[in-house]
Amino acid sequence: MGKTISFVKGKGSLSHNNRDFVAENVDQDRMDWNVYYIQQSLREAYDQLFGSAVAEYNSKQKRKDRWVSDYLTDIKNSGNNEKPFYEVVVQIGRKEDTGVLGMDGKLSIDAEAAKMILDEYARTFQERNPNLYLFNAVLHMDEATPHLHLDYIPVAHGYKTKMHTRNSLTKALQEMGIEPATSKLDTETMHWQAREREYLMGMCRERDIEIDILGEKRDNYTIPEYKAARQAADELTAELEILNAEKQEAEAVIASMNSVAENSREEIAESKQHLAEINADIAEREKRYAVYEKKIDKVIAAGKPVKKELDSIRSKTKSLPALLGGEPSIKISEKDFERVMEMAQASGTLEKLNEAYDKDMDTMQRKIDKLTVQVSTLKEKISKAETFLKVKGLLEEFLDYLKPKSISRSLSEKKKEVEEYDKTHVKKVVKKDRGIAV
């Protein structure tokens, strides 16, 4: 059985990564086994990456209120879903097949092989990803499975306005040659992870470590739906291991914060938000896992009658001796042979139909995502136009232009206006007759 390769979006808990804070799931006796590649403060990294761009931008501003005084804080407060930095957790295998400790309590052979690969991967990360600045990188060997925490800042160049160098994950990935996104289910980050996964896979194969890939042959199973679902479920299991470990650490951090009076409400709120995001990620993956498990059960249930029939055919076959050093043969009735061929043809047809269905679904999803973006953009433009027209006092006239009133409705409104005028005019005349100033 091959191993899985997991790329999970981490939460970037630097105090945990660097072991400033030690959670219960950490074996303190193995903390010396960890490898710390780089530990630069976020503030220092931002000054190094964006300091000159900030200074150049500010030098061109005549008004000080337009200066960028603290780019890191600006990113933290940005409403464009930008993050000060991103984290990816990289793991080979799961605790069942790549646990750090062997039966003898020492470093297992599988974990040692995984460590060597992850070590090389971390040391070559920056060269391979020049626009993802690595400011904190750690290999953990003191938990259940060897894994990397890689924290990076995306750096994009070539902007014509404002700062020429900025934090932008999308543009940074595209600068590195990553294909642009086509939908929410096909993003630059996914394309980048696919490239990095392929690189890791090559490193594993060089060391004769088998890696399972969705859709490839696995064990003795030949049903494509089963292979894909089983592999996806295994990958989700590995991701859940990582996320549950992070959840345990986040809960411990919050508990320690609540017991210390110096911690600000803002810090505690941030940690709780961090925990909420982890729980959301876990819930999302558990939901997907349940879907794949259900699909696996359906495939197995559907395959039972076929297996029973094949077992019956196999029981009626007869072995024939090998002739002239050739391979052994079996004797089977023409009726049974035709039945086996029918089942093989049906299986192939179903596989092709399934592939065509998946392709159609992908195409439809891309169209839906594109339309969703267009609708959202259109709604935003309409909202801005309505606000503008309302400010200018033209909204009612514009709405009448878009949807003219019926003749009967217009006459009715005119009638009401005349009646209102008559009432007002009559009052004025009566007051005048009585000698009241109007």
Side-chain angles (χ1 to χ4, degrees), residues 90-104:
V90 186
Q91 180 173 299
I92 298 171
R94 297 178 294 153
K95 60 185 177 185
E96 287 82 0
D97 54 42
T98 319
V100 174
L101 297 179
M103 296 294 290
D104 57 0

Side-chain angles (χ1 to χ4, degrees), residues 131-159:
N131 292 78
L132 305 180
Y133 180 76
L134 203 61
F135 72 97
N136 207 91
V138 182
L139 171 62
H140 283 165
M141 297 294 294
D142 53 9
E143 296 178 57
T145 313
H147 59 273
L148 287 168
H149 287 266
L150 302 176
D151 297 279
Y152 56 89
I153 302 166
V155 183
H157 309 87
Y159 289 93

Side-chain angles (χ1 to χ4, degrees), residues 246-363:
E246 288 220 344
K247 176 182 178 179
Q248 190 174 349
E249 290 147 13
E251 289 172 339
V253 168
I254 292 170
S256 67
M257 278 187 165
N258 287 331
S259 63
V260 179
E262 296 89 57
N263 287 304
S264 68
R265 289 183 179 179
E266 185 179 347
E267 287 176 320
I268 294 173
E270 273 186 22
S271 296
K272 287 183 177 179
Q273 176 62 29
H274 172 197
L275 179 59
E277 289 174 3
I278 293 174
N279 283 328
D281 284 346
I282 289 173
E284 183 267 336
R285 281 169 172 78
E286 285 179 341
K287 186 177 179 181
R288 281 163 50 198
Y289 181 85
V291 170
Y292 284 118
E293 283 291 289
K294 191 174 182 180
K295 189 170 186 178
I296 289 167
D297 291 340
K298 282 184 177 180
V299 172
I300 292 173
K304 283 181 180 179
V306 177
K307 184 178 184 301
K308 185 177 180 180
E309 189 170 357
L310 288 174
D311 287 343
S312 174
I313 293 172
R314 189 178 291 108
S315 67
K316 291 184 282 185
T317 60
K318 294 180 181 179
S319 298
L320 298 175
L323 299 174
L324 302 175
E327 292 185 3
S329 302
I330 61 168
K331 182 180 179 181
I332 183 173
S333 70
E334 185 175 352
K335 181 182 177 182
D336 287 340
F337 174 75
E338 290 297 335
R339 182 62 187 136
V340 170
M341 293 299 290
E342 285 174 7
M343 286 189 284
Q345 187 176 3
S347 175
T349 302
L350 286 172
E351 182 176 354
K352 293 297 181 185
L353 287 171
N354 188 59
E355 288 176 359
Y357 172 76
D358 286 343
K359 188 175 180 180
D360 288 343
M361 288 298 291
D362 288 341
T363 302

